[in-house]
Amino acid sequence: MARWQLAWLLARRFRRGRERSRFLSFISASSTFGIALGCMVFITGLSVMNGFGQVLEERFLKLIPHVEFRAVEGALQHPQTIFQLAEQHPQVRSARAAIRTQALVQQGREFVGVEVVGVDPAADHAISAYVTPQVWQQLQQPNTLILGQGLAQRLGVNAGENLRLVVAAERGFQAPQRISLEVVGQFDFGGQVDHQRAYVSLDTARKLTGLAQGITAVELELTDLFAAEQVANDIGYQLRDYVYLDHWMRAQGHLYRDIQMVRMVMYLVLILVLAVACFNIVSTLIMTVQEKRRHIGILRTMGLRASGLVRVFVMQGIQNGLVGVTFGVLAGIALSWSLPGLLAMLEQLTGSSLLASDVYFIDHIPVLMQARDIIIVAVVALLLSLLATLYPAWQASRIQVVAAISS
């Protein structure tokens, strides 16, 4: 333990020696600054990626069914079987009935396509969190619907007004059905959902689709999002109905894959950027070895072995890395915490939004710091700092004592 303490003290003396040249001090400071900057940037970047992943899981996928069993034609013949199998499956959190159809909304001379989703207002549904309880209760009344805010603004309708929907016949070449529905409210979820979707009760959806009874789909919410394909297969292969098996990874999985791909690229870039920063540590130590040749010779004559000399220069490089990692981690945590506020100020100053609410399902940059990412960044930076010390330390151990003292 005393050997490492001595190596640490000598390294600190070499690092802070007053006789160091300004150029060497600049190279040493730049290596420390490069490590700190790399740690700060990547902690912030990974926190933003974590934030997008959390929003995707906790918000966007609340409206997108994790697993869906949809009738091939008409209504499901045995929906109770699906509910029973879902209740028995350990990965299924809840199951809800749904009726989906496409319609045209007629407002004056304009026709706008809309996805109409029939839900049970008495059951818990994610969209209920984006409307008032009074509006959600009014959906239980016949011939009522809730419009997305973007769609309502485009059509110029408000609560209490009527909309005429045109729905194509499910079978044959019958004339499209026209039905007038009352708008009881609007939901503001964000993104394209607000411009494309409307919600009605199951009874109203049956009138639109011409179903006498039953439902067209069963939607499952899972405890583990990434078990969607397995759950769909486990339950689907036990059904007697011909159904379409669908899950969120098939329709929206590219969002999650893009986030994970960006994370992997950031880890790769992290290693490359920190490796470049650590090259300055190599340069610093090599120049220190040349500058301290006489000191090294004196230490060798005083009994310091070559292995001890290696420890001194390894400790000096680690000290540079520790300072850079410490400041970088603290700066990264501070920047991650303040990033949403800084970006909000930037949007106010520029008058433009970084994430348009009519395109994306969020209008701000989410941030979620995880201790795992901070530890990984810090450990990678320290390991690269350690590796950068090996060659200069080996060079220092090869210096001849007589030549070093006489130089």
Side-chain angles (χ1 to χ4, degrees):
M1 188 65 180
R3 295 179 179 180
W4 288 104
Q5 289 178 347
L6 176 62
W8 182 269
L9 293 175
L10 289 174
R12 186 178 181 184
R13 186 69 177 268
F14 280 178
R15 185 169 175 267
R16 296 185 176 182
R18 295 182 179 179
E19 65 276 9
R20 296 179 69 185
S21 64
R22 293 183 178 180
F23 181 72
L24 182 58
S25 298
F26 172 77
I27 296 297
S28 178
S30 65
S31 65
T32 303
F33 177 77
I35 294 174
L37 183 63
C39 292
M40 180 190 70
V41 170
F42 288 106
I43 287 175
T44 306
L46 292 173
S47 298
V48 172
M49 291 298 101
N50 293 335
F52 276 109
Q54 183 187 44
V55 171
L56 175 66
E57 295 180 12
E58 295 184 358
R59 181 175 179 183
F60 183 67
L61 291 180
K62 288 294 184 180
L63 290 188
I64 304 298
H66 300 167
V67 176
E68 183 181 35
F69 301 97
R70 191 171 63 254
V72 175
E73 185 177 1
L76 291 170
Q77 297 298 319
H78 305 92
Q80 291 303 322
T81 303
I82 302 178
F83 284 108
Q84 292 173 1
L85 293 173
E87 184 179 353
Q88 297 171 2
H89 200 286
Q91 292 287 352
V92 177
R93 178 179 297 165
S94 63
R96 57 178 179 259
I99 298 176
R100 295 178 178 269
T101 188
Q102 302 293 326
L104 291 176
V105 178
Q106 182 180 359
Q107 187 70 359
R109 295 184 177 181
E110 184 180 10
F111 287 87
V112 179
V114 60
E115 178 187 9
V116 181
V117 182
V119 296
D120 184 4
D124 184 24
H125 197 280
I127 198 60
S128 62
Y130 298 93
V131 297
T132 63
Q134 294 78 11
V135 170
W136 189 248
Q137 292 177 0
Q138 289 178 343
L139 194 64
Q140 299 181 11
Q141 301 175 4
N143 298 334
T144 57
L145 84 162
I146 301 174
L147 279 180
Q149 188 178 73
L151 185 59
Q153 292 176 353
R154 178 179 178 181
L155 298 173
V157 295
N158 298 308
E161 300 183 12
N162 291 332
L163 276 183
R164 185 176 295 274
L165 271 64
V166 181
V167 184
E170 292 288 336
R171 302 179 181 178
F173 297 95
Q174 302 176 5
Q177 181 180 2
R178 297 173 182 266
I179 184 172
S180 180
L181 302 180
E182 179 186 357
V183 179
V184 295
Q186 304 174 10
F187 66 87
D188 182 13
F189 178 79
Q192 293 298 308
V193 174
D194 289 355
H195 298 262
Q196 298 174 348
R197 188 172 295 182
Y199 287 89
V200 299
S201 65
L202 290 176
D203 292 335
T204 303
R206 292 189 184 98
K207 292 181 181 179
L208 292 174
T209 56
L211 295 177
Q213 58 182 0
I215 56 176
T216 62
V218 175
E219 302 174 350
L220 305 184
E221 182 181 356
L222 308 182
T223 56
D224 182 8
L225 294 173
F226 307 103
E229 184 175 4
Q230 178 184 353
V231 173
N233 294 333
D234 290 346
I235 297 178
Y237 292 154
Q238 303 180 58
L239 300 180
R240 292 178 293 172
D241 289 350
Y242 290 102
V243 297
Y244 291 116
L245 304 181
D246 201 5
H247 52 84
W248 75 272
M249 288 294 292
R250 182 176 299 170
Q252 306 295 337
H254 64 281
L255 295 175
Y256 179 79
R257 287 190 292 268
D258 290 346
I259 292 175
Q260 296 305 310
M261 182 182 68
V262 172
R263 286 178 58 88
M264 294 303 298
V265 171
M266 289 192 67
Y267 278 124
L268 177 61
V269 174
L270 164 66
I271 295 176
L272 296 178
V273 170
L274 292 180
V276 172
C278 289
F279 273 118
N280 286 333
I281 295 180
V282 178
S283 303
T284 301
L285 294 180
I286 290 177
M287 294 177 65
T288 302
V289 169
Q290 298 301 319
E291 190 178 69
K292 304 291 185 181
R293 288 177 62 88
R294 180 169 296 180
H295 297 76
I296 292 172
I298 294 173
L299 289 173
R300 292 296 304 275
T301 59
M302 294 175 64
L304 184 65
R305 298 181 179 180
S307 59
L309 199 59
V310 170
R311 285 194 292 268
V312 171
F313 284 93
V314 168
M315 287 295 101
Q316 185 177 349
I318 290 179
Q319 286 177 7
N320 284 342
L322 279 174
V323 173
V325 168
T326 301
F327 282 100
V329 167
L330 293 177
I333 294 174
L335 181 59
S336 298
W337 276 113
S338 59
L339 186 62
L342 293 175
L343 294 178
M345 293 176 57
L346 180 62
E347 290 179 350
Q348 292 180 354
L349 292 175
T350 60
S352 60
S353 178
L354 296 176
L355 295 177
S357 59
D358 58 341
V359 177
Y360 305 99
F361 53 91
I362 54 174
D363 57 359
H364 63 281
I365 301 295
V367 174
L368 174 63
M369 281 188 294
Q370 292 184 349
R372 177 193 60 186
D373 294 328
I374 297 175
I375 293 174
I376 289 176
V377 171
V379 169
V380 169
L382 288 176
L383 285 178
L384 291 177
S385 300
L386 175 62
L387 292 176
T389 65
L390 298 181
Y391 176 74
W394 177 72
Q395 287 281 35
S397 67
R398 296 183 61 192
I399 293 179
Q400 299 297 324
V401 177
V402 176
I405 293 177
S406 61
S407 62

